[in-house]
Amino acid sequence: GEALEICQHRGIRAREGQTWLGLGLALEALNDFDKASVAYSQTQTIQQEVGNKAGSLEARAGLARCLLANGNTNEAQKEVETYLAEAKSQGIAGAKYPIRLYLTAYWVLLAANKKEEAIAILQQGHTFLQKRLDNIEDAELRRLFKEKSPENKEFWTQLELHTDKDAGG
């Protein structure tokens, strides 16, 4: 709250948008999805205002997760489809949490009974994550990148789960 006040008082809109995103993530982690939705909506508004397209994508993903958590799968799917279309046209460069974008789309599409689309998103995320992994020369750092980041670890788990299921029938 104090960080938001400082950003608002000083008129630092770009930093305010990032602070709202952080607040949304914190509230989401506390399972306060209604308040998280408000924070993500504020993020969305500010990120669009300042032209931060990646931040806008992340706000939509946050909204989608909150909608899904509240049982609004259709609305969550609309948010995901919107940000996937935007990501396809403009890319995701600058996203602070790019793997979360892929995981969110995957979770929502699975919940919407769109398994093939969900797995396709995992494959796109795999390509993205593998490029990042390939740029890490040190074997120990590659292992840490893959295993210690909770989002990356979750991503690899879901990818392996579907790879194993699809290979086994």
Short mmCIF file of all heavy atoms in Angstrom, two decimals, residues 56-118:
data_model
loop_
_atom_site.label_atom_id
_atom_site.label_comp_id
_atom_site.label_asym_id
_atom_site.label_seq_id
_atom_site.Cartn_x
_atom_site.Cartn_y
_atom_site.Cartn_z
N SER A 56 0.31 -5.46 -19.60
CA SER A 56 -1.12 -5.64 -19.86
C SER A 56 -1.45 -7.12 -20.03
O SER A 56 -2.48 -7.60 -19.54
CB SER A 56 -1.50 -4.86 -21.12
OG SER A 56 -2.86 -5.01 -21.40
N LEU A 57 -0.58 -7.88 -20.71
CA LEU A 57 -0.79 -9.32 -20.87
C LEU A 57 -0.79 -10.00 -19.50
O LEU A 57 -1.63 -10.86 -19.22
CB LEU A 57 0.31 -9.94 -21.73
CG LEU A 57 0.41 -9.50 -23.18
CD1 LEU A 57 1.63 -10.15 -23.84
CD2 LEU A 57 -0.85 -9.83 -23.95
N GLU A 58 0.15 -9.61 -18.66
CA GLU A 58 0.24 -10.23 -17.34
C GLU A 58 -0.97 -9.90 -16.47
O GLU A 58 -1.43 -10.75 -15.70
CB GLU A 58 1.54 -9.82 -16.67
CG GLU A 58 2.73 -10.45 -17.38
CD GLU A 58 4.07 -10.07 -16.83
OE1 GLU A 58 4.35 -8.86 -16.66
OE2 GLU A 58 4.84 -11.00 -16.56
N ALA A 59 -1.50 -8.70 -16.63
CA ALA A 59 -2.72 -8.35 -15.89
C ALA A 59 -3.89 -9.20 -16.35
O ALA A 59 -4.68 -9.70 -15.53
CB ALA A 59 -3.04 -6.86 -16.09
N ARG A 60 -4.02 -9.40 -17.65
CA ARG A 60 -5.09 -10.26 -18.18
C ARG A 60 -4.95 -11.70 -17.68
O ARG A 60 -5.93 -12.34 -17.35
CB ARG A 60 -5.11 -10.25 -19.70
CG ARG A 60 -5.69 -9.00 -20.30
CD ARG A 60 -5.95 -9.21 -21.79
NE ARG A 60 -6.52 -8.05 -22.37
CZ ARG A 60 -7.82 -7.72 -22.31
NH1 ARG A 60 -8.65 -8.49 -21.67
NH2 ARG A 60 -8.25 -6.62 -22.89
N ALA A 61 -3.72 -12.18 -17.63
CA ALA A 61 -3.49 -13.54 -17.13
C ALA A 61 -3.90 -13.63 -15.66
O ALA A 61 -4.53 -14.61 -15.24
CB ALA A 61 -2.02 -13.92 -17.30
N GLY A 62 -3.57 -12.62 -14.88
CA GLY A 62 -3.99 -12.60 -13.48
C GLY A 62 -5.50 -12.60 -13.34
O GLY A 62 -6.06 -13.34 -12.52
N LEU A 63 -6.15 -11.78 -14.15
CA LEU A 63 -7.62 -11.77 -14.13
C LEU A 63 -8.17 -13.15 -14.49
O LEU A 63 -9.13 -13.63 -13.87
CB LEU A 63 -8.16 -10.72 -15.09
CG LEU A 63 -8.05 -9.27 -14.64
CD1 LEU A 63 -8.37 -8.32 -15.79
CD2 LEU A 63 -8.96 -9.00 -13.45
N ALA A 64 -7.57 -13.78 -15.49
CA ALA A 64 -8.03 -15.11 -15.91
C ALA A 64 -7.90 -16.11 -14.77
O ALA A 64 -8.81 -16.92 -14.53
CB ALA A 64 -7.25 -15.58 -17.14
N ARG A 65 -6.77 -16.08 -14.06
CA ARG A 65 -6.60 -17.01 -12.93
C ARG A 65 -7.63 -16.77 -11.85
O ARG A 65 -8.17 -17.72 -11.27
CB ARG A 65 -5.17 -16.89 -12.36
CG ARG A 65 -4.11 -17.47 -13.27
CD ARG A 65 -2.76 -17.55 -12.57
NE ARG A 65 -2.29 -16.26 -12.06
CZ ARG A 65 -1.64 -15.35 -12.77
NH1 ARG A 65 -1.37 -15.58 -14.06
NH2 ARG A 65 -1.24 -14.23 -12.21
N CYS A 66 -7.92 -15.50 -11.57
CA CYS A 66 -8.92 -15.18 -10.54
C CYS A 66 -10.31 -15.63 -10.98
O CYS A 66 -11.07 -16.18 -10.18
CB CYS A 66 -8.91 -13.68 -10.23
SG CYS A 66 -7.41 -13.14 -9.38
N LEU A 67 -10.64 -15.38 -12.22
CA LEU A 67 -11.93 -15.82 -12.75
C LEU A 67 -12.05 -17.34 -12.67
O LEU A 67 -13.08 -17.87 -12.27
CB LEU A 67 -12.11 -15.35 -14.19
CG LEU A 67 -12.35 -13.85 -14.37
CD1 LEU A 67 -12.10 -13.44 -15.82
CD2 LEU A 67 -13.76 -13.49 -13.93
N LEU A 68 -11.00 -18.04 -13.03
CA LEU A 68 -11.01 -19.50 -12.97
C LEU A 68 -11.17 -19.97 -11.53
O LEU A 68 -11.97 -20.87 -11.26
CB LEU A 68 -9.72 -20.06 -13.57
CG LEU A 68 -9.62 -21.58 -13.66
CD1 LEU A 68 -10.71 -22.14 -14.58
CD2 LEU A 68 -8.24 -21.98 -14.17
N ALA A 69 -10.45 -19.35 -10.61
CA ALA A 69 -10.55 -19.73 -9.20
C ALA A 69 -11.95 -19.51 -8.65
O ALA A 69 -12.40 -20.24 -7.77
CB ALA A 69 -9.54 -18.93 -8.37
N ASN A 70 -12.65 -18.51 -9.19
CA ASN A 70 -14.02 -18.22 -8.75
C ASN A 70 -15.06 -19.00 -9.56
O ASN A 70 -16.26 -18.74 -9.43
CB ASN A 70 -14.30 -16.72 -8.82
CG ASN A 70 -13.65 -15.98 -7.68
OD1 ASN A 70 -13.50 -16.50 -6.58
ND2 ASN A 70 -13.23 -14.75 -7.94
N GLY A 71 -14.61 -19.92 -10.41
CA GLY A 71 -15.53 -20.77 -11.15
C GLY A 71 -16.08 -20.16 -12.43
O GLY A 71 -17.00 -20.70 -13.02
N ASN A 72 -15.52 -19.06 -12.87
CA ASN A 72 -15.97 -18.39 -14.10
C ASN A 72 -15.10 -18.79 -15.28
O ASN A 72 -14.37 -17.98 -15.86
CB ASN A 72 -15.94 -16.87 -13.92
CG ASN A 72 -16.86 -16.40 -12.82
OD1 ASN A 72 -17.95 -16.93 -12.66
ND2 ASN A 72 -16.40 -15.45 -12.03
N THR A 73 -15.18 -20.05 -15.64
CA THR A 73 -14.31 -20.60 -16.68
C THR A 73 -14.50 -19.91 -18.02
O THR A 73 -13.52 -19.62 -18.72
CB THR A 73 -14.55 -22.12 -16.82
OG1 THR A 73 -14.35 -22.72 -15.54
CG2 THR A 73 -13.59 -22.74 -17.83
N ASN A 74 -15.74 -19.62 -18.40
CA ASN A 74 -15.98 -18.97 -19.70
C ASN A 74 -15.34 -17.59 -19.77
O ASN A 74 -14.72 -17.24 -20.78
CB ASN A 74 -17.48 -18.87 -19.99
CG ASN A 74 -18.10 -20.22 -20.27
OD1 ASN A 74 -17.42 -21.18 -20.63
ND2 ASN A 74 -19.41 -20.31 -20.08
N GLU A 75 -15.47 -16.82 -18.71
CA GLU A 75 -14.86 -15.49 -18.69
C GLU A 75 -13.34 -15.59 -18.66
O GLU A 75 -12.64 -14.81 -19.31
CB GLU A 75 -15.36 -14.66 -17.49
CG GLU A 75 -16.82 -14.26 -17.60
CD GLU A 75 -17.11 -13.40 -18.82
OE1 GLU A 75 -16.35 -12.44 -19.07
OE2 GLU A 75 -18.09 -13.69 -19.53
N ALA A 76 -12.82 -16.58 -17.91
CA ALA A 76 -11.38 -16.79 -17.87
C ALA A 76 -10.86 -17.14 -19.26
O ALA A 76 -9.82 -16.65 -19.68
CB ALA A 76 -11.04 -17.90 -16.87
N GLN A 77 -11.62 -17.97 -19.96
CA GLN A 77 -11.22 -18.37 -21.31
C GLN A 77 -11.19 -17.15 -22.24
O GLN A 77 -10.28 -17.01 -23.06
CB GLN A 77 -12.16 -19.43 -21.86
CG GLN A 77 -11.77 -19.93 -23.23
CD GLN A 77 -12.72 -20.99 -23.77
OE1 GLN A 77 -13.59 -21.50 -23.07
NE2 GLN A 77 -12.57 -21.30 -25.04
N LYS A 78 -12.15 -16.24 -22.10
CA LYS A 78 -12.15 -15.04 -22.93
C LYS A 78 -10.90 -14.19 -22.67
O LYS A 78 -10.30 -13.66 -23.61
CB LYS A 78 -13.41 -14.21 -22.66
CG LYS A 78 -14.67 -14.83 -23.22
CD LYS A 78 -15.89 -14.01 -22.86
CE LYS A 78 -17.17 -14.72 -23.28
NZ LYS A 78 -18.37 -14.03 -22.82
N GLU A 79 -10.53 -14.05 -21.39
CA GLU A 79 -9.31 -13.29 -21.07
C GLU A 79 -8.09 -13.95 -21.69
O GLU A 79 -7.24 -13.27 -22.28
CB GLU A 79 -9.12 -13.18 -19.55
CG GLU A 79 -10.07 -12.25 -18.85
CD GLU A 79 -9.87 -10.78 -19.21
OE1 GLU A 79 -8.76 -10.38 -19.66
OE2 GLU A 79 -10.82 -10.01 -19.03
N VAL A 80 -8.01 -15.28 -21.57
CA VAL A 80 -6.87 -16.01 -22.12
C VAL A 80 -6.81 -15.86 -23.63
O VAL A 80 -5.75 -15.59 -24.21
CB VAL A 80 -6.91 -17.50 -21.69
CG1 VAL A 80 -6.01 -18.36 -22.55
CG2 VAL A 80 -6.54 -17.63 -20.23
N GLU A 81 -7.94 -16.04 -24.29
CA GLU A 81 -7.96 -15.91 -25.75
C GLU A 81 -7.54 -14.52 -26.19
O GLU A 81 -6.83 -14.36 -27.18
CB GLU A 81 -9.33 -16.29 -26.29
CG GLU A 81 -9.60 -17.79 -26.19
CD GLU A 81 -11.03 -18.19 -26.51
OE1 GLU A 81 -11.91 -17.31 -26.64
OE2 GLU A 81 -11.26 -19.41 -26.61
N THR A 82 -7.95 -13.51 -25.43
CA THR A 82 -7.57 -12.13 -25.75
C THR A 82 -6.07 -11.94 -25.60
O THR A 82 -5.41 -11.42 -26.49
CB THR A 82 -8.33 -11.13 -24.87
OG1 THR A 82 -9.74 -11.28 -25.11
CG2 THR A 82 -7.92 -9.70 -25.15
N TYR A 83 -5.52 -12.39 -24.46
CA TYR A 83 -4.09 -12.13 -24.29
C TYR A 83 -3.24 -13.03 -25.17
O TYR A 83 -2.15 -12.63 -25.59
CB TYR A 83 -3.66 -12.11 -22.82
CG TYR A 83 -3.33 -13.40 -22.12
CD1 TYR A 83 -2.19 -14.14 -22.41
CD2 TYR A 83 -4.12 -13.83 -21.07
CE1 TYR A 83 -1.88 -15.29 -21.72
CE2 TYR A 83 -3.81 -14.98 -20.36
CZ TYR A 83 -2.69 -15.71 -20.69
OH TYR A 83 -2.38 -16.85 -19.98
N LEU A 84 -3.73 -14.21 -25.53
CA LEU A 84 -2.97 -15.05 -26.47
C LEU A 84 -2.92 -14.40 -27.86
O LEU A 84 -1.88 -14.43 -28.51
CB LEU A 84 -3.56 -16.45 -26.55
CG LEU A 84 -3.33 -17.36 -25.36
CD1 LEU A 84 -4.07 -18.68 -25.55
CD2 LEU A 84 -1.85 -17.59 -25.10
N ALA A 85 -4.05 -13.82 -28.27
CA ALA A 85 -4.07 -13.12 -29.57
C ALA A 85 -3.13 -11.92 -29.54
O ALA A 85 -2.38 -11.68 -30.51
CB ALA A 85 -5.49 -12.69 -29.91
N GLU A 86 -3.14 -11.18 -28.44
CA GLU A 86 -2.24 -10.03 -28.31
C GLU A 86 -0.79 -10.49 -28.29
O GLU A 86 0.07 -9.89 -28.93
CB GLU A 86 -2.57 -9.23 -27.04
CG GLU A 86 -3.90 -8.51 -27.13
CD GLU A 86 -4.31 -7.86 -25.82
OE1 GLU A 86 -3.54 -7.89 -24.83
OE2 GLU A 86 -5.43 -7.32 -25.76
N ALA A 87 -0.51 -11.57 -27.56
CA ALA A 87 0.86 -12.09 -27.48
C ALA A 87 1.34 -12.56 -28.84
O ALA A 87 2.50 -12.38 -29.20
CB ALA A 87 0.93 -13.22 -26.46
N LYS A 88 0.43 -13.15 -29.61
CA LYS A 88 0.80 -13.63 -30.94
C LYS A 88 1.18 -12.46 -31.85
O LYS A 88 2.13 -12.55 -32.62
CB LYS A 88 -0.35 -14.43 -31.55
CG LYS A 88 0.00 -15.09 -32.87
CD LYS A 88 -1.13 -15.95 -33.37
CE LYS A 88 -0.73 -16.65 -34.66
NZ LYS A 88 -1.77 -17.54 -35.15
N SER A 89 0.46 -11.37 -31.74
CA SER A 89 0.73 -10.23 -32.63
C SER A 89 1.89 -9.36 -32.15
O SER A 89 2.61 -8.81 -32.96
CB SER A 89 -0.53 -9.38 -32.79
OG SER A 89 -0.84 -8.70 -31.60
N GLN A 90 2.10 -9.26 -30.85
CA GLN A 90 3.12 -8.35 -30.34
C GLN A 90 4.25 -9.03 -29.58
O GLN A 90 5.23 -8.38 -29.23
CB GLN A 90 2.48 -7.30 -29.43
CG GLN A 90 1.94 -7.88 -28.12
CD GLN A 90 0.98 -6.96 -27.42
OE1 GLN A 90 0.34 -6.12 -28.03
NE2 GLN A 90 0.88 -7.11 -26.11
N GLY A 91 4.13 -10.32 -29.31
CA GLY A 91 5.15 -11.03 -28.54
C GLY A 91 4.98 -10.79 -27.05
O GLY A 91 4.07 -10.08 -26.62
N ILE A 92 5.88 -11.41 -26.29
CA ILE A 92 5.79 -11.27 -24.83
C ILE A 92 7.07 -10.66 -24.24
O ILE A 92 7.30 -10.74 -23.04
CB ILE A 92 5.47 -12.61 -24.14
CG1 ILE A 92 6.54 -13.66 -24.40
CG2 ILE A 92 4.09 -13.10 -24.54
CD1 ILE A 92 6.37 -14.92 -23.56
N ALA A 93 7.88 -10.07 -25.11
CA ALA A 93 9.11 -9.43 -24.62
C ALA A 93 8.77 -8.42 -23.54
O ALA A 93 7.82 -7.64 -23.66
CB ALA A 93 9.83 -8.75 -25.77
N GLY A 94 9.52 -8.46 -22.47
CA GLY A 94 9.30 -7.54 -21.36
C GLY A 94 8.42 -8.09 -20.27
O GLY A 94 8.29 -7.48 -19.20
N ALA A 95 7.83 -9.26 -20.48
CA ALA A 95 7.00 -9.86 -19.43
C ALA A 95 7.89 -10.27 -18.27
O ALA A 95 8.94 -10.88 -18.46
CB ALA A 95 6.23 -11.06 -19.98
N LYS A 96 7.46 -9.94 -17.06
CA LYS A 96 8.22 -10.32 -15.87
C LYS A 96 8.04 -11.81 -15.56
O LYS A 96 8.91 -12.44 -15.00
CB LYS A 96 7.77 -9.49 -14.67
CG LYS A 96 8.18 -8.03 -14.76
CD LYS A 96 7.70 -7.25 -13.57
CE LYS A 96 8.64 -7.51 -12.41
NZ LYS A 96 8.42 -6.60 -11.28
N TYR A 97 6.87 -12.34 -15.91
CA TYR A 97 6.54 -13.72 -15.58
C TYR A 97 6.02 -14.45 -16.82
O TYR A 97 4.86 -14.85 -16.88
CB TYR A 97 5.48 -13.76 -14.47
CG TYR A 97 5.85 -12.90 -13.28
CD1 TYR A 97 5.28 -11.65 -13.09
CD2 TYR A 97 6.80 -13.34 -12.36
CE1 TYR A 97 5.63 -10.86 -12.01
CE2 TYR A 97 7.15 -12.55 -11.28
CZ TYR A 97 6.57 -11.31 -11.10
OH TYR A 97 6.92 -10.53 -10.03
N PRO A 98 6.87 -14.63 -17.83
CA PRO A 98 6.38 -15.18 -19.10
C PRO A 98 5.84 -16.61 -18.97
O PRO A 98 4.84 -16.94 -19.62
CB PRO A 98 7.62 -15.13 -20.01
CG PRO A 98 8.78 -15.06 -19.08
CD PRO A 98 8.30 -14.33 -17.87
N ILE A 99 6.46 -17.43 -18.16
CA ILE A 99 5.98 -18.81 -18.04
C ILE A 99 4.60 -18.84 -17.39
O ILE A 99 3.77 -19.68 -17.70
CB ILE A 99 7.01 -19.68 -17.28
CG1 ILE A 99 8.26 -19.83 -18.13
CG2 ILE A 99 6.44 -21.05 -16.92
CD1 ILE A 99 8.03 -20.39 -19.54
N ARG A 100 4.33 -17.89 -16.53
CA ARG A 100 3.00 -17.81 -15.92
C ARG A 100 1.93 -17.55 -16.97
O ARG A 100 0.80 -18.00 -16.84
CB ARG A 100 2.99 -16.72 -14.85
CG ARG A 100 1.77 -16.79 -13.97
CD ARG A 100 1.85 -15.82 -12.84
NE ARG A 100 2.94 -16.21 -11.96
CZ ARG A 100 2.98 -15.93 -10.67
NH1 ARG A 100 2.01 -15.26 -10.12
NH2 ARG A 100 4.00 -16.30 -9.93
N LEU A 101 2.28 -16.81 -18.03
CA LEU A 101 1.33 -16.59 -19.12
C LEU A 101 0.95 -17.92 -19.77
O LEU A 101 -0.22 -18.19 -20.03
CB LEU A 101 1.93 -15.65 -20.17
CG LEU A 101 2.19 -14.21 -19.76
CD1 LEU A 101 2.98 -13.48 -20.84
CD2 LEU A 101 0.90 -13.49 -19.45
N TYR A 102 1.96 -18.74 -20.03
CA TYR A 102 1.70 -20.05 -20.64
C TYR A 102 0.94 -20.97 -19.68
O TYR A 102 -0.01 -21.65 -20.09
CB TYR A 102 3.01 -20.72 -21.06
CG TYR A 102 3.69 -20.04 -22.21
CD1 TYR A 102 4.85 -19.30 -22.01
CD2 TYR A 102 3.20 -20.13 -23.51
CE1 TYR A 102 5.50 -18.67 -23.07
CE2 TYR A 102 3.83 -19.51 -24.56
CZ TYR A 102 4.99 -18.78 -24.34
OH TYR A 102 5.61 -18.17 -25.40
N LEU A 103 1.35 -21.00 -18.42
CA LEU A 103 0.67 -21.87 -17.45
C LEU A 103 -0.78 -21.46 -17.26
O LEU A 103 -1.67 -22.31 -17.18
CB LEU A 103 1.40 -21.84 -16.10
CG LEU A 103 2.65 -22.70 -15.99
CD1 LEU A 103 3.37 -22.40 -14.67
CD2 LEU A 103 2.31 -24.17 -16.10
N THR A 104 -1.03 -20.17 -17.20
CA THR A 104 -2.40 -19.69 -17.03
C THR A 104 -3.26 -20.13 -18.20
O THR A 104 -4.36 -20.66 -18.00
CB THR A 104 -2.43 -18.15 -16.90
OG1 THR A 104 -1.67 -17.77 -15.75
CG2 THR A 104 -3.86 -17.63 -16.77
N ALA A 105 -2.77 -19.93 -19.40
CA ALA A 105 -3.52 -20.35 -20.59
C ALA A 105 -3.77 -21.85 -20.55
O ALA A 105 -4.88 -22.32 -20.84
CB ALA A 105 -2.78 -19.96 -21.86
N TYR A 106 -2.76 -22.60 -20.18
CA TYR A 106 -2.88 -24.06 -20.09
C TYR A 106 -3.98 -24.45 -19.09
O TYR A 106 -4.87 -25.23 -19.41
CB TYR A 106 -1.53 -24.65 -19.68
CG TYR A 106 -1.59 -26.05 -19.18
CD1 TYR A 106 -1.77 -27.12 -20.06
CD2 TYR A 106 -1.46 -26.32 -17.83
CE1 TYR A 106 -1.83 -28.42 -19.59
CE2 TYR A 106 -1.52 -27.62 -17.36
CZ TYR A 106 -1.70 -28.66 -18.23
OH TYR A 106 -1.76 -29.95 -17.77
N TRP A 107 -3.93 -23.89 -17.88
CA TRP A 107 -4.91 -24.24 -16.84
C TRP A 107 -6.33 -23.88 -17.27
O TRP A 107 -7.26 -24.66 -17.09
CB TRP A 107 -4.59 -23.54 -15.52
CG TRP A 107 -3.35 -24.01 -14.84
CD1 TRP A 107 -2.87 -25.29 -14.76
CD2 TRP A 107 -2.42 -23.20 -14.12
NE1 TRP A 107 -1.70 -25.32 -14.04
CE2 TRP A 107 -1.40 -24.06 -13.63
CE3 TRP A 107 -2.34 -21.84 -13.82
CZ2 TRP A 107 -0.32 -23.59 -12.87
CZ3 TRP A 107 -1.28 -21.39 -13.08
CH2 TRP A 107 -0.28 -22.25 -12.61
N VAL A 108 -6.48 -22.70 -17.82
CA VAL A 108 -7.81 -22.24 -18.22
C VAL A 108 -8.35 -23.08 -19.38
O VAL A 108 -9.51 -23.50 -19.36
CB VAL A 108 -7.79 -20.73 -18.58
CG1 VAL A 108 -9.09 -20.30 -19.24
CG2 VAL A 108 -7.53 -19.90 -17.32
N LEU A 109 -7.52 -23.33 -20.37
CA LEU A 109 -7.98 -24.12 -21.51
C LEU A 109 -8.31 -25.56 -21.10
O LEU A 109 -9.28 -26.14 -21.60
CB LEU A 109 -6.95 -24.09 -22.63
CG LEU A 109 -6.80 -22.71 -23.30
CD1 LEU A 109 -5.60 -22.70 -24.23
CD2 LEU A 109 -8.07 -22.31 -24.03
N LEU A 110 -7.55 -26.13 -20.19
CA LEU A 110 -7.89 -27.45 -19.67
C LEU A 110 -9.25 -27.42 -18.98
O LEU A 110 -10.08 -28.31 -19.19
CB LEU A 110 -6.84 -27.95 -18.68
CG LEU A 110 -5.71 -28.78 -19.19
CD1 LEU A 110 -4.86 -29.31 -18.03
CD2 LEU A 110 -6.14 -29.94 -20.06
N ALA A 111 -9.46 -26.41 -18.15
CA ALA A 111 -10.73 -26.28 -17.43
C ALA A 111 -11.90 -26.09 -18.40
O ALA A 111 -13.02 -26.49 -18.10
CB ALA A 111 -10.67 -25.12 -16.44
N ALA A 112 -11.63 -25.50 -19.56
CA ALA A 112 -12.66 -25.25 -20.57
C ALA A 112 -12.81 -26.43 -21.53
O ALA A 112 -13.46 -26.31 -22.57
CB ALA A 112 -12.33 -23.98 -21.35
N ASN A 113 -12.21 -27.56 -21.16
CA ASN A 113 -12.26 -28.78 -21.99
C ASN A 113 -11.66 -28.58 -23.38
O ASN A 113 -12.17 -29.10 -24.36
CB ASN A 113 -13.69 -29.33 -22.08
CG ASN A 113 -14.20 -29.78 -20.73
OD1 ASN A 113 -13.48 -30.47 -20.00
ND2 ASN A 113 -15.40 -29.38 -20.39
N LYS A 114 -10.59 -27.83 -23.43
CA LYS A 114 -9.86 -27.57 -24.69
C LYS A 114 -8.46 -28.16 -24.55
O LYS A 114 -7.45 -27.46 -24.62
CB LYS A 114 -9.78 -26.07 -24.96
CG LYS A 114 -11.12 -25.38 -24.97
CD LYS A 114 -11.43 -24.94 -26.34
CE LYS A 114 -12.77 -24.20 -26.35
NZ LYS A 114 -13.42 -24.34 -27.59
N LYS A 115 -8.41 -29.48 -24.34
CA LYS A 115 -7.14 -30.16 -24.03
C LYS A 115 -6.10 -29.98 -25.14
O LYS A 115 -4.94 -29.71 -24.86
CB LYS A 115 -7.37 -31.64 -23.76
CG LYS A 115 -6.12 -32.37 -23.36
CD LYS A 115 -6.36 -33.83 -23.05
CE LYS A 115 -5.04 -34.51 -22.71
NZ LYS A 115 -5.18 -35.91 -22.45
N GLU A 116 -6.50 -30.14 -26.38
CA GLU A 116 -5.53 -30.01 -27.47
C GLU A 116 -4.93 -28.61 -27.51
O GLU A 116 -3.73 -28.46 -27.72
CB GLU A 116 -6.19 -30.35 -28.81
CG GLU A 116 -6.46 -31.83 -28.99
CD GLU A 116 -7.08 -32.17 -30.34
OE1 GLU A 116 -6.96 -31.35 -31.28
OE2 GLU A 116 -7.67 -33.25 -30.44
N GLU A 117 -5.76 -27.59 -27.33
CA GLU A 117 -5.26 -26.22 -27.31
C GLU A 117 -4.35 -26.00 -26.10
O GLU A 117 -3.33 -25.31 -26.21
CB GLU A 117 -6.41 -25.23 -27.28
CG GLU A 117 -7.21 -25.18 -28.57
CD GLU A 117 -8.40 -24.25 -28.47
OE1 GLU A 117 -8.27 -23.17 -27.86
OE2 GLU A 117 -9.47 -24.60 -29.01
N ALA A 118 -4.73 -26.59 -24.97
CA ALA A 118 -3.92 -26.45 -23.75
C ALA A 118 -2.54 -27.06 -23.96
O ALA A 118 -1.51 -26.46 -23.59
CB ALA A 118 -4.63 -27.11 -22.56
#
